[in-house]
């Protein structure tokens, strides 16, 4: 897990991980959130802006199996977490 300034530990939870294609991002607060998904080579494969829900369903059913990186930005904080599609 890669994180910046403890934001990841207290601000959000991603589950289930690994998953068959659907992840849930549960978070505290209602600030606007942006998520980006990158493959292992660093290529951006998914991006969603202006998320205000505290529980967000991330559907990656169309994406190939493998390891990806989920980057979450909320305000001036950001965190990156490895997610696995099986």
């Amino acid at each position: 897990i890669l994180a910046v300034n403890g934001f990841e530990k207290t601000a959000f939870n991603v589950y289930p991980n690994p998953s068959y294609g659907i992840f849930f991002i549960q978070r505290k607060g209602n600030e606007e959130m942006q998520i980006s998904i990158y493959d292992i080579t660093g290529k951006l494969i998914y991006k969603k802006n202006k998320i205000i829900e505290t529980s967000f369903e991330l559907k990656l059913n169309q994406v190939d199996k493998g390891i990806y990186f989920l980057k979450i930005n909320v305000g001036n904080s950001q965190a990156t977490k490895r997610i696995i599609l099986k």
Side-chain angles (χ1 to χ4, degrees):
I1 297 174
L2 308 170
V4 176
N5 70 15
F7 167 67
E8 183 273 333
K9 291 181 183 176
T10 60
F12 74 93
N13 187 25
V14 178
Y15 62 92
N17 192 15
S19 171
Y20 287 101
I22 297 178
F23 295 90
F24 294 94
I25 301 171
Q26 187 75 37
R27 68 188 182 113
K28 297 178 183 177
N30 59 355
E31 280 188 85
E32 203 171 88
M33 175 174 69
Q34 172 186 311
I35 60 171
S36 306
I37 306 290
Y38 298 89
D39 68 12
I40 199 79
T41 67
K43 179 182 172 189
L44 178 66
I45 62 162
Y46 177 91
K47 186 171 187 175
K48 175 100 172 138
N49 295 317
K50 299 182 180 181
I51 301 167
I52 57 171
E53 298 88 2
T54 56
S55 183
F56 179 74
E57 183 179 40
L58 174 61
K59 295 179 183 177
L60 297 177
N61 297 2
Q62 75 285 2
V63 178
D64 293 334
K65 295 179 187 178
I67 297 173
Y68 296 89
F69 295 96
L70 166 65
K71 181 179 176 186
I72 297 179
N73 291 300
V74 177
N76 293 327
S77 298
Q78 73 176 23
T80 302
K81 183 172 178 106
R82 183 179 67 181
I83 58 174
I84 300 170
L85 282 169
K86 52 181 182 170

